[in-house]
Amino acid sequence: MTNIDYYFDYAAATPLDERVFEAMRPFLFDDFFNPSSPYEPAVAVRRKYLAAKHQLAQTFGASGDELVMTAGATESINLAVGSFPGHKVAPTSEHKSVLEATKRNDHTLVQVDKHGHVTPQDIVSAVREDTELVSVALANHEIGSIQPIRSIAQELEIVRATRREQGNARPLLFHCDASQGFGLLDINVGRLGVDLLTLNSAKIYGPKQMGLLWIKPGVVLQPQIVGGGQERGLRSGTENVAGVVGFSAAAARATQKRSHEFDRMIVLRGRLEQRLKEALPGAIFSGHPKHRLANFCHVSFPNIDAERLVFLLEMKQVYVATSSACAANSGTRSTVLTAIGMEDTVADGSIRLTLGRHTTEASVEYAADQLIAAVKGEIKRTGVAT
């Protein structure tokens, strides 16, 4: 047994795919040259770098020259959100990086329902004459609910048309963080209708600290990192060639495996939830009942200490999360669970299990056994009802 056998925190991090590492290897050793240097080996590396960007972009219906490569999704989000000083709109359930960047300026946070779902009408109602950016994640990072991005985009286009008729030339851009959905959902920038898209290599078995921001042609951003002028002047710094090559390889593999993995995750998650519901009828499951990522299982046990459950499961080599890794690291209650109106006694007993490529039927059965035993043990120890 290895650490990955009973790993159920794929939303936080995925292991590097071996084929991805092999694609990266040459650029870590022999082809190490700075792609901005003028001599032939470096020029050859630059050609490969640009080819990798183009291949990566093609996996979601874009072009390589429309991408700005970043050190992960957080930087991508900050570049998108930080480029616009005007009023911004975002749901209350967004990732902390979106919320914190949004709160730097005048903003409105839109309430979500108990499933973490936001309606296009609620988003549009929050848009003002001075709103410059709307940011909505494709899928929630804690409960997996999928948002109606296309419908929101269509409604925002109506608002833009009205603005033009009224002579309001202020931009109204739509940003979407699709990091969690990439690899399980068919993502295409044209079909989504967004202006800015964030993706993250670390969620699709690629290298960590590697992300991107897709920018629709014609959209003008302001650099948050200045220096040598790389990445169209929007993200200065020596290009991470190995990282981009790895990201491209991971995206291609994720696209190839997407349909199969989606179907497999649905079956495995269904079995996990069935086991928990039968053995623990007081368990509460969160996330949209229909529009949810196939690998997300968020479950709460009222009056049970989730952190203690995580510890007990770790002793059995089952690895789960109490919330997103960012929220857990800050030691604060999940903003997502607060946003969906979950009571503290329920939120404090919540854990997130996310499945991935290495999850098997056997590992699901084992994890279910250990989680059921841990919860029943805590009920007996504390004498609380759940």
Side-chain angles (χ1 to χ4, degrees), residues 1 25 137 144 156 158 216 227 229 293 295 297 336 341 350 355:
M1 184 171 62
R25 182 191 291 273
L156 290 176
I158 295 173
K216 185 177 180 178
L293 290 179
N295 65 327
C297 172
V336 174
S350 299
L355 290 63

Side-chain angles (χ1 to χ4, degrees), residues 243-319:
V244 173
V245 169
F247 196 172
S248 179
R253 187 151 170 74
T255 300
Q256 180 185 40
K257 296 175 67 67
R258 183 178 60 234
S259 179
H260 175 263
E261 280 298 282
F262 180 91
D263 293 342
R264 200 172 69 87
M265 292 299 105
I266 287 290
V267 172
L268 291 176
R269 185 188 68 188
R271 176 56 180 166
L272 175 62
E273 293 186 347
Q274 178 188 16
R275 289 286 315 278
L276 297 179
K277 288 175 181 177
E278 290 174 350
L280 303 166
I284 298 171
F285 294 85
S286 298
H288 197 280
K290 293 182 179 179
H291 307 295
R292 177 169 48 128
L293 290 179
N295 65 327
F296 269 64
C297 172
H298 186 280
V299 58
S300 305
F301 306 100
N303 303 308
I304 298 294
D305 184 353
E307 292 187 358
R308 182 169 170 81
L309 286 181
V310 171
F311 171 73
L312 293 172
L313 290 172
E314 182 181 356
M315 292 180 65
K316 300 296 184 179
Q317 294 186 286
V318 177
Y319 304 103

Side-chain angles (χ1 to χ4, degrees), residues 13-223:
T14 57
L16 186 67
D17 187 293
E18 291 183 4
R19 298 187 189 183
V20 171
F21 176 69
E22 289 305 317
M24 296 171 63
R25 182 191 291 273
F27 302 95
L28 297 170
F29 297 99
D30 296 335
D31 293 335
F32 62 88
F33 305 98
N34 187 322
S36 295
S37 295
Y39 36 82
E40 177 53 33
V43 172
V45 166
R46 181 161 193 80
R47 285 196 293 267
K48 295 174 182 177
Y49 174 76
L50 294 176
K53 283 183 68 174
H54 180 64
Q55 291 163 4
L56 171 58
Q58 285 187 316
T59 63
F60 55 94
S63 174
D65 57 4
E66 298 165 354
L67 308 187
V68 171
M69 309 309 302
T70 63
T74 295
E75 185 189 340
S76 170
I77 288 165
N78 275 263
L79 174 57
V81 178
S83 290
F84 301 94
H87 179 254
K88 300 179 181 70
V89 174
T92 53
S93 59
E94 287 297 292
H95 190 277
K96 189 174 183 180
S97 56
V98 172
L99 295 178
E100 292 301 312
T102 298
K103 290 176 181 179
R104 288 179 175 178
N105 303 103
D106 190 11
H107 65 278
T108 299
L109 298 182
V110 179
Q111 184 60 49
V112 296
D113 65 18
K114 65 180 182 179
H115 302 304
H117 205 249
V118 67
T119 68
Q121 293 73 25
D122 286 342
I123 290 292
V124 170
S125 295
V127 173
R128 308 185 322 206
E129 290 185 358
D130 60 341
T131 302
E132 294 185 349
L133 184 79
V134 172
S135 183
V136 182
L138 176 62
N140 186 265
H141 56 289
E142 288 192 29
I143 59 177
S145 295
I146 300 170
Q147 302 288 14
I149 299 299
R150 177 61 181 169
S151 296
I152 295 173
Q154 290 172 335
E155 292 297 323
L156 290 176
E157 184 53 40
I158 295 173
V159 176
R160 291 190 191 103
T162 301
R163 281 188 176 185
R164 289 191 294 269
E165 291 175 359
Q166 297 173 346
N168 183 353
R170 187 183 294 270
L172 177 58
L173 283 303
F174 186 19
H175 167 255
C176 177
D177 175 12
S179 298
Q180 286 294 349
F182 199 30
L184 285 175
L185 301 176
D186 182 9
I187 295 174
N188 181 283
V189 290
R191 289 195 293 272
L192 287 176
V194 298
D195 304 293
L196 299 157
L197 185 82
T198 291
L199 293 175
N200 187 354
S201 166
K203 306 301 184 186
I204 57 168
Y205 307 85
K208 294 180 177 62
Q209 280 287 292
M210 194 70 245
L212 67 81
L213 179 66
W214 171 78
I215 306 169
K216 185 177 180 178
V219 173
V220 178
L221 301 185
Q222 299 300 317

